[in-house]
Structures are given as C-alpha cells and as structure tokens.
Amino acid sequence: MSTSFAEENYLKIIYRLSEGHDEDISTNAVAELTQTKAASVTDMLRKLAEKGWVNYQKYQGVRLSPAGEKIALGIVRKHRLWEVFLVEKMGFNWDEVHEIAEQLEHIESDSLIDKLDEFLEFPKTDPHGDPIPTKNGVMPELGYLHLSDIKADKRCVLMGVAKDSAIFLQLLTKMQLSLGATLHVLEVNAFDRSISVSIDNAPAVFISHEVAKNILVKLA
Amino acid sequence: MSTSFAEENYLKIIYRLSEGHDEDISTNAVAELTQTKAASVTDMLRKLAEKGWVNYQKYQGVRLSPAGEKIALGIVRKHRLWEVFLVEKMGFNWDEVHEIAEQLEHIESDSLIDKLDEFLEFPKTDPHGDPIPTKNGVMPELGYLHLSDIKADKRCVLMGVAKDSAIFLQLLTKMQLSLGATLHVLEVNAFDRSISVSIDNAPAVFISHEVAKNILVKLA
DNA sequence: AATATTTTTTAGTTGGGCCTAAAAAATAAA
DNA sequence: TTTATTTTTTAGGCCCAACTAAAAAATATT
Ligand SMILES: [Mn+2]
Ligand SMILES: [Mn+2]
Ligand SMILES: [Mn+2]
Ligand SMILES: [Mn+2]
C-alpha cells in the first residue's frame, strides 16, 4: 500500500514520540509536532488505524503497529542517510541539512537508497550522531548519556545531539562543540545546574543545563 | 510565490510542448502528457494564468509567460542534474533514472542544486544528451540532427536521444548504441526507411526509422 | 460528589487537484 | 452553408488534508 507525504510524516512523528517509553501517544502531542490542530490529528489517526499502521481507539491515544513502525523506520533511515550525503558529499554544515532531508526522505526508490547507502560507505550514524536504522528495519541502540547527567571530574566524548534545530546546532558550533570532541566535566554548579567543561583540553567554559541536556556523550 | 508539484509538472510539460515551434499549446496535448483529463487541464490553466505563469484565454490554447518559463527551466535543470548524479555517482543505467528524477526535481533548495552542480563538475548535458539549463535560466542550443535525416555514406556521432522511455533506451543499449558511438550510415532502405549502419566500425546492422528518428547525432 | 478545566472528538467548511457528464465553441465535412 | 465531429469548457462531485466552532469525554479541583 502506498503512503502519502502527510501519512509518512505522521508515522515518523508518532515513532519519535514513542521512542524509549511504552505509553500511548496523545493527540495533542502529535498535533504539536505536525504543526497542525488536534482535530486534524484525530482525522488522520482514524485513517492510519484503518490502514493498519497504528493502534488507535478514541480518547485512548495512539501507538504504532508493527507495520507502521516498519514504515516509520524506513523514513527515518532515508532522512538520516540523506543527511549524511548532504554533509559528507555536498559540503553542508550539520545545521543546514534537516529541512532538505525532510523533503528527500519522501523520495520513493528502494534501489536508490541501497545505492546511496553504499556510496556513503554504510554509515552507522547521521551528522547529529543519530543511529541509522538498518535496511531490515532495526534501530541500533547506542546507549548514549546526556551530558547533563555526567558527574564532576568525568571525561567523555561528544557522540550526538538530542535536538536538530539550526539555532541549537549553530550555538554548539560557536562553542567548539562538535561530534568527537572530548569533554572534561570539571564542576557542576548547583545554582543553575550549569557545568564547567574543558573542551578538547582547552580552558574551561560554562555550558548551560539547557544545552547540556541536549548533548549526548559516552564516557571516555 | 511557491509552486506545488502539480503546478511544476504542468509548467514543465507546457515547456516541453513549446520547445522549437512558436504556436500555442492545446489543452488536449497537455492532458496527454500530464496523464489527466482535458477538464482537469482547463482548471489548472486557469490557475496558472491567475498566478501569471502562463498566457491563456479559453479556446485559444496556452503558452508560458517569461515567469513560467523561468520556473520550468529551473525544474528541467534540477531533473537533468539529478539524472547525471544518478548515473555518474550512483551507478544507475540511463534507462533507470527518469522516474526517480521526476521525484527529485521537486526538491526545493537553491543551495543544494548549486552544490550538486559543483559536485558533478558542472555537466553540460544529462545522461540522455539533453542540455542542462544554466543557473540563470538559459537552455543551451545544441543543434543536433536526427539520425533519420542523415544521408547515406555520412559518418556521425551519437549525441543524444529524443525519448526517455526505458523500453527505448534498453533497446539502444542492446544494439550497442550509447552516447559517443560513431555511426557510419551505409544505406537508406527506401522500402521501410530503415537504415544500415556500422556502429563503432562493427559490421552493419539495421536500424528502423522509428528508432533512427529518436536518435540525435552530430556529423563527424 | 459536584463542578471546573483540559483534552479529544464531531460537525461542518475550505482549497487543491482530480473526475464524469453535459453544454458550448471551434473546426471539418457534406 | 448547414450539419456533423472534435475540442474545450462548465457544472457538479469526490477524496485528501487541513481548518474552526461546538459537543463530549476525561481529568483535576473544590
Ligand atoms: Mn534531521
Ligand atoms: Mn539528524
Ligand atoms: Mn528524464
Ligand atoms: Mn534526461
């Protein structure tokens, strides 16, 4: 069965909202991410349920069916492979690729994605450190930690970000925070939960809790 | 002003139908290429005229306005650049790329196209020998001849095809006819207008008029 | 337990892009 | 120059994906 752009976007967003926990997703949560109104979401959820891509009963919230999850993972796979392409081959910065990938993720051609994957030498993660689902629909679990949860005196490596927004990524770039940077957490400041961090052994700088929350690391 | 996929497809098709001659395009001609019904075309032509992209008066046919032609050339440029990408970088055959390019041509990002163009080293023609419009909207005139118009005893080089259909391109491949092949027209057979041609100095083969009509060459 | 608030759904519209059937205009044939 | 045929347009509808306003259900507060 074929999928429209709108349907694909809904499935992708429901997937994102479901990641991690196991609860049903609320209509309002979907409405916020799709940038539509709750009434429109209700409409679409009924349609998606009819096609067997979500389990939905009114007032009970929604979750993806196995079929729906497979579609969502396919879209995410395409999105992230295209992002790699845009950064690695086309020379875009990591804060410039999300919007373009939002369009490219809907291009329908299995052989194109296979060839793209090969062309990019089978990347495991995208330019934001997010894992790329495998061809057969498995999302690798990377198990990164949030920088905000790292204790003082620990060293870690910046592996990814939990937010794609250009404004956030540009700030990181300005702060010399890019994938692979080594971070030495010197101090956690109780007052505002900001942290003092030495980036690649440079003199320490402050990182706000809001920023640290959205930085993913692994312990060194 | 932004353009929908449907609008872009109409403009592109009107452009194609206008190439060469100077007459207005009929509603039916557009309907055939868009794979829609004449009534739907009439609807769309009214809308395109309102947006200033075509000149249209009912029962009089349609032609692109300068603004419409600019949009159409942009779409054609993207289509052909993506086709080069698919063949040169992704390893597709020339008969496999048209459908995918039909999707990719609607991706909206000027900087992406600039970077793609550079990545491909500013190609002048696509995998079918068609010229790629310049960034500022000029379609290069290549002035190729139809193989069916070449006189006996002349030598020429295969520069392009006048048809994108996979079935046609596959036949050419099977006949060893690819871009750059040298063709020596030995004989024009009056009975069926087929021609006897030596391809790259191999023993002569027959090429039907139907095929020769759709092969573009320049004299050697 | 009753009432207020928030969330979600239903009802009714809209616009885009398509359709069929019927009417009107243009063109061809008699 | 009538009449027949073809082309194009209009009229009316359908489906998709969104909307607003109002109703209903779920949840929170008093
Ligand atoms: Mn992204
Ligand atoms: Mn990403
Ligand atoms: Mn093509
Ligand atoms: Mn082409």
Side-chain angles (χ1 to χ4, degrees):
Chain A
M1 201 184 314
S2 91
T3 48
S4 68
F5 282 24
E7 289 168 340
E8 292 185 349
N9 283 333
Y10 273 91
L11 292 173
K12 193 183 54 164
I13 276 163
I14 297 168
Y15 176 84
R16 260 194 52 190
L17 290 168
S18 309
E19 255 184 315
H21 52 89
D22 202 43
E23 302 103 52
D24 287 1
I25 305 307
S26 77
T27 299
N28 267 352
V30 176
E32 192 170 347
L33 287 205
T34 51
Q35 313 243 59
T36 61
K37 296 302 159 75
S40 311
V41 173
T42 300
D43 262 8
M44 181 58 94
L45 294 184
R46 239 190 332 91
K47 287 184 222 160
L48 295 176
E50 228 152 70
K51 298 202 179 190
W53 296 331
V54 300
N55 296 112
Y56 166 67
Q57 299 187 132
K58 55 166 132 169
Y59 295 107
Q60 301 307 127
V62 67
R63 68 176 60 197
L64 291 177
S65 71
E69 180 169 303
K70 187 149 192 186
I71 296 170
L73 284 166
I75 305 298
V76 172
R77 174 172 163 78
K78 286 193 278 183
H79 182 102
R80 293 182 179 169
L81 281 173
W82 280 116
E83 284 190 344
V84 174
F85 169 76
L86 292 170
V87 168
E88 296 299 320
K89 302 295 182 180
M90 305 296 273
F92 281 101
N93 300 317
W94 70 342
D95 59 296
E96 300 174 313
V97 296
H98 183 72
E99 295 307 313
I100 304 177
E102 285 290 310
Q103 300 179 58
L104 287 165
E105 72 189 5
H106 302 293
I107 300 293
E108 193 186 304
S109 168
D110 288 347
S111 60
L112 173 56
I113 293 306
D114 288 349
K115 285 173 192 279
L116 184 63
D117 193 24
E118 184 185 353
F119 183 62
L120 300 172
E121 299 174 82
F122 310 104
K124 296 275 168 294
T125 57
D126 83 358
H128 312 104
D130 291 312
I132 296 173
T134 65
K135 193 178 168 178
N136 33 330
V138 177
M139 178 72 86
E141 258 313 331
L142 299 179
Y144 295 142
L145 305 167
H146 294 260
L147 177 58
S148 50
D149 294 332
I150 303 300
K151 297 278 175 285
D153 260 345
K154 296 282 181 191
R155 287 167 188 278
C156 54
V157 179
L158 200 166
M159 299 304 290
V161 292
K163 209 190 252 287
D164 282 52
S165 80
I167 188 168
F168 171 61
L169 297 172
Q170 283 158 13
L171 174 60
L172 295 192
T173 301
K174 216 181 296 171
M175 297 176 82
Q176 309 287 334
L177 290 164
S178 56
L179 292 201
T182 61
L183 306 179
H184 186 185
V185 178
L186 302 170
E187 224 181 332
V188 177
N189 307 295
F191 177 68
D192 61 353
R193 295 194 288 171
S194 71
I195 56 183
S196 302
V197 177
S198 163
I199 302 165
D200 290 325
N201 299 310
V205 296
F206 288 101
I207 297 179
S208 72
H209 180 69
E210 188 59 29
V211 165
K213 244 178 22 189
N214 288 295
I215 291 178
L216 303 175
V217 300
K218 70 167 186 222
L219 288 172
Chain B
M1 205 182 315
S2 93
T3 48
S4 68
F5 283 24
E7 289 168 340
E8 292 184 350
N9 284 332
Y10 273 91
L11 292 174
K12 190 182 58 165
I13 276 163
I14 297 168
Y15 177 85
R16 260 193 53 190
L17 290 167
S18 307
E19 254 183 315
H21 52 87
D22 201 45
E23 302 101 53
D24 287 0
I25 305 306
S26 78
T27 300
N28 268 353
V30 176
E32 192 170 346
L33 287 205
T34 51
Q35 312 242 59
T36 61
K37 296 303 159 75
S40 311
V41 173
T42 300
D43 263 8
M44 182 59 92
L45 294 185
R46 237 189 334 93
K47 286 183 222 162
L48 294 176
E50 228 151 72
K51 297 202 178 190
W53 297 330
V54 300
N55 296 112
Y56 166 67
Q57 299 188 132
K58 54 165 127 169
Y59 297 108
Q60 301 307 128
V62 68
R63 67 176 59 197
L64 291 178
S65 71
E69 180 169 301
K70 186 147 194 190
I71 296 170
L73 283 167
I75 305 298
V76 172
R77 173 170 163 82
K78 288 193 276 182
H79 182 103
R80 292 181 180 169
L81 282 173
W82 280 116
E83 283 190 344
V84 174
F85 169 75
L86 292 170
V87 168
E88 296 299 321
K89 302 295 181 179
M90 306 295 276
F92 281 100
N93 299 317
W94 71 342
D95 59 296
E96 300 174 312
V97 297
H98 183 72
E99 296 307 313
I100 304 177
E102 285 289 310
Q103 299 180 60
L104 287 165
E105 73 190 5
H106 301 293
I107 300 294
E108 192 186 306
S109 166
D110 288 346
S111 60
L112 173 56
I113 293 306
D114 287 349
K115 285 172 192 278
L116 184 64
D117 193 24
E118 183 184 354
F119 184 62
L120 300 172
E121 298 171 84
F122 310 104
K124 294 276 169 295
T125 57
D126 83 359
H128 312 105
D130 290 312
I132 296 173
T134 64
K135 192 178 170 179
N136 34 329
V138 177
M139 177 73 87
E141 258 313 330
L142 299 179
Y144 296 142
L145 306 166
H146 295 259
L147 177 58
S148 51
D149 294 332
I150 303 299
K151 297 278 174 287
D153 261 343
K154 294 284 182 191
R155 289 166 187 278
C156 53
V157 179
L158 201 165
M159 299 303 290
V161 294
K163 207 188 254 283
D164 282 52
S165 80
I167 188 169
F168 171 62
L169 297 172
Q170 284 158 14
L171 174 61
L172 294 193
T173 302
K174 215 181 299 172
M175 297 175 83
Q176 311 287 334
L177 289 165
S178 56
L179 293 201
T182 61
L183 307 178
H184 186 183
V185 178
L186 302 169
E187 227 183 328
V188 177
N189 306 295
F191 177 67
D192 62 353
R193 294 194 288 171
S194 70
I195 56 182
S196 302
V197 176
S198 164
I199 302 167
D200 289 325
N201 299 310
V205 296
F206 288 100
I207 296 179
S208 72
H209 179 70
E210 188 59 28
V211 166
K213 242 178 22 187
N214 288 295
I215 291 177
L216 303 176
V217 300
K218 71 165 184 224
L219 288 172

